[in-house]
Amino acid sequence: MSKWFWQNILVDALTAVLSTACAEPAERVLKRTLRRGQSILNNTERVTIARMLFGASCLRRRIEYRLQHVRRTTSEVADADVHIVKVLTVYKIFEECVYFPHATEPASSWLEFASVFLDDSWMECLRETKHTLIWPTDRIAFLEAFFSFPDWLARAVIEVYPSSEVLQNSLAASMNHPARPMFRTNLKKISRLDLAESLAKTGIHCEPTVLSESSLRVTGQEKPEIRNNPLYRTGLFEVQDEGSQLVSLATGAGPGMTVLDMCCGRGGKALHLADMMGRGLLVCHDVDEVTLSQAKSRIKKADLSSDLTVRFVCSTVGERSAPSSNGGRGGDVAKASLNAAKPAFLPPDFAALSCALEENLADVVLVDAPCSSLGTLRRGPNVRWEINPESLSIFPGLQQNILTHACKLVKIGGVLVYATCTFNKEECGNIREWFQTQYCSSFIPVPLASWFSGDVPQCLLESSPNVNENNFIQLAPSTHDTDAFFIAKWKRTK
């Protein structure tokens, strides 16, 4: 077996990801690569391949910008493999300490391999760029090169904070750092503090967060193994971003209520709603049979109270079924946003919903809407390069249609909560303004101050300072260390 086995298969993997002719998703390539070396690679090599593949893939434009400014040497050879080795060498020398700050693998094993392809004079020219490289002064060009963004994403970041380059840079930087795992404590079984102490005994160290009283954030250097953890297997916690938890908390769902999760997906928020309710009626609805079946399986495995009735309604039957028309929800990357094919809007099956709701309207309707999922880009290092920007325009119309139908299912005095996991204004503030204009006669905003039993957490005041009037929250990884979520809330008056 070659002395440089893991280095060679890493070069092959990155070549497949960066191919202009038939680029493949980094996650798929990684799985194939690790299978290829299944009987040969040790754990350290597997982790190193994953980190270097994801890091170099994510930061490809930043790396290429640096390579463009390396002084050329007479000994250079134009070769595709050599170029990939250069990309990975730039990543290892300049970028890994930022992208994966806790990486412990020494650079020596990679640089020894790279020296087979790159001579000392080229390496010296590369190191010179640490002091000579000048980044673009044009704002969009700077975001593209410095943060390794495609043009459309640079423009989207500027649109979020049009008057502050500092906030633009902070948001952009947060998308280049993998998210730390977050847990939601099952408070009916264990306290957050006791869970943290129990997890520490299994080698997983956590810290409490401020937005959700049930949330823990993993600390430490490594991403922990969760699936086989005995505390997870016995239902003491779920893996859920704190922003996603705040969506459920914003509904105010409680014991005895009738709650409709209009876009249930795989059921992460439905599980949280069920824990919040304890008793009552929870209806989980979606237009995707596959994801709704996953939600059904998760909820059936949960140890829910017998006083809580959970029903499932799928509005796709026969030809109504729509492939990949749901986008992403709370922590998922939007599969629909990878292509510009416009999803057909599927009206909800009101007859089935009415039956599930026992001919009543709901106290709470949650619309965790299909969206572009830009708020979760830090979880998918290669996704920014896979998204077709033309597809972003499909979501606002879809979201308006869903809200138009969902609001009919809210009883007078009940609440409607709209949420997306994105920072795209067209899907966030613009949808909120549209709804408030369209339905001002029957729905009133619910001020942020009333969402919490105590004071509004200080970290939310920056994005929504007027808590007695504003009925929305915009979360961002740069400000709140959560995925980017937009949440708005209204109360039906007539």
Side-chain angles (χ1 to χ4, degrees):
M1 186 55 61
S2 168
K3 174 184 177 182
W4 308 114
F5 180 72
W6 75 261
Q7 292 92 339
N8 278 311
I9 65 173
L10 172 59
V11 170
D12 291 344
L14 188 61
T15 299
V17 171
L18 299 186
S19 169
T20 55
C22 53
E24 294 184 75
E27 289 81 1
R28 183 190 304 165
V29 172
L30 177 63
K31 288 180 181 178
R32 186 174 67 237
T33 301
L34 296 183
R35 281 198 302 269
R36 177 180 168 189
Q38 187 170 9
S39 61
I40 302 166
L41 299 170
N42 60 43
N43 189 59
T44 298
E45 291 169 342
R46 294 167 69 90
V47 170
T48 301
I49 288 172
R51 284 178 167 169
M52 292 186 68
L53 179 64
F54 283 156
S57 172
C58 176
L59 302 179
R60 63 182 69 175
R61 185 157 289 179
R62 178 180 170 91
I63 292 171
E64 290 290 354
Y65 184 85
R66 186 178 292 275
L67 284 174
Q68 290 168 11
H69 291 79
V70 176
R71 286 194 298 110
R72 297 199 175 275
T73 62
T74 56
S75 58
E76 272 195 80
V77 178
D79 180 88
D81 283 350
V82 171
H83 182 74
I84 295 297
V85 171
K86 288 179 178 179
V87 169
L88 288 162
T89 300
V90 170
Y91 171 76
K92 196 69 178 176
I93 293 176
F94 291 101
E95 310 299 348
E96 185 173 60
C97 60
V98 177
Y99 190 77
F100 281 115
H102 299 302
T104 57
E105 308 84 31
S108 55
S109 61
W110 173 261
L111 295 180
E112 185 182 353
F113 166 76
S115 67
V116 176
F117 300 85
L118 311 174
D119 61 27
D120 291 342
S121 62
W122 188 88
M123 292 295 293
E124 182 61 30
C125 292
L126 173 63
R127 290 190 170 93
E128 286 177 4
T129 63
K130 180 177 181 179
H131 307 288
T132 62
L133 188 64
I134 299 175
W135 297 100
T137 55
D138 175 78
R139 192 64 197 149
I140 292 176
F142 173 80
L143 291 172
E144 289 183 58
F146 192 84
F147 294 108
S148 193
F149 280 6
D151 171 85
W152 64 266
L153 184 55
R155 294 178 186 277
V157 168
I158 291 173
E159 191 175 2
V160 176
Y161 299 118
S163 58
S164 175
E165 292 187 1
V166 172
L167 292 178
Q168 291 169 16
N169 290 347
S170 181
L171 177 59
S174 70
M175 285 185 265
N176 284 345
H177 296 281
R180 289 184 288 170
M182 288 190 181
F183 303 148
R184 177 177 61 78
T185 310
N186 186 340
L187 296 177
K188 289 192 168 30
K189 293 186 174 183
I190 191 172
S191 72
R192 177 165 67 169
L193 177 59
D194 287 345
L195 176 62
E197 291 176 352
S198 298
L199 283 168
K201 294 176 182 177
T202 69
I204 301 176
H205 299 278
C206 303
E207 61 186 5
T209 61
V210 298
L211 299 179
S212 168
E213 294 180 353
S214 61
S215 184
L216 290 170
R217 180 186 293 112
V218 173
T219 60
Q221 300 180 356
E222 298 294 335
K223 185 176 180 180
E225 165 59 38
I226 304 298
R227 186 174 301 176
N228 295 318
N229 187 286
L231 303 175
Y232 175 72
R233 294 177 70 88
T234 53
L236 296 185
F237 71 93
E238 292 285 336
V239 179
Q240 187 177 25
D241 184 79
E242 188 179 25
S244 179
Q245 295 178 43
L246 195 59
V247 172
S248 304
L249 293 172
T251 68
M257 288 187 178
T258 296
V259 177
L260 169 60
D261 186 349
M262 192 69 176
C263 307
C264 179
R266 291 194 288 265
K269 296 178 185 67
L271 276 171
H272 193 186
L273 290 169
D275 286 343
M276 292 167 62
M277 294 168 67
R279 58 183 174 84
L281 173 61
L282 173 61
V283 177
C284 301
H285 169 270
D286 209 286
V287 296
D288 189 311
E289 294 172 302
V290 174
T291 56
L292 191 62
S293 67
Q294 293 172 347
K296 189 173 184 178
S297 176
R298 291 178 69 184
I299 290 173
K300 280 191 171 182
K301 289 178 182 178
D303 184 19
L304 300 180
S305 167
S306 59
D307 294 326
L308 178 67
T309 300
V310 184
R311 297 186 177 129
F312 300 87
V313 177
C314 186
S315 285
T316 57
V317 288
E319 296 181 357
R320 288 165 56 88
S321 182
S324 297
S325 63
N326 297 311
R329 299 184 185 84
D332 301 328
V333 172
K335 292 181 181 179
S337 64
L338 303 185
N339 300 292
K342 187 173 182 178
F345 171 67
L346 300 175
D349 186 339
F350 278 107
L353 280 172
S354 179
C355 181
L357 291 167
E358 299 176 355
E359 310 303 326
N360 297 314
L361 297 179
D363 298 288
V364 171
V365 174
L366 169 60
V367 177
D368 178 28
C371 70
S372 58
S373 292
L374 300 186
T376 65
L377 286 179
R378 61 183 184 157
R379 299 185 183 277
N382 201 48
V383 172
R384 68 186 67 176
W385 304 109
E386 298 169 6
I387 292 176
N388 181 339
E390 294 178 10
S391 69
L392 300 183
S393 63
I394 69 179
F395 290 106
L398 184 62
Q399 291 151 356
Q400 289 177 359
N401 277 323
I402 294 172
L403 281 172
T404 297
H405 288 80
C407 69
K408 299 173 184 176
L409 298 167
V410 183
K411 77 176 188 180
I412 294 176
V415 298
L416 172 67
V417 173
Y418 170 75
T420 57
C421 52
T422 186
F423 52 80
N424 179 20
K425 286 181 66 176
E426 298 296 322
E427 305 172 67
C428 299
N430 289 6
I431 294 292
R432 168 182 165 268
E433 292 171 7
W434 166 83
F435 185 85
Q436 291 184 177
T437 300
Q438 199 78 8
Y439 294 94
C440 59
S441 63
S442 53
F443 283 84
I444 60 172
V446 178
L448 181 59
S450 67
W451 295 20
F452 298 88
S453 56
D455 293 335
V456 176
Q458 182 65 33
C459 62
L460 294 179
L461 298 180
E462 293 181 18
S463 58
S464 192
N466 194 344
V467 296
N468 292 314
E469 292 185 13
N470 288 342
N471 70 321
F472 69 94
I473 296 172
Q474 178 70 72
L475 301 177
S478 51
T479 308
H480 308 102
D481 200 10
T482 69
D483 292 337
F485 275 90
F486 179 84
I487 313 168
K489 185 175 182 178
W490 299 272
K491 179 179 180 179
R492 185 170 185 177
T493 56
K494 65 177 184 179

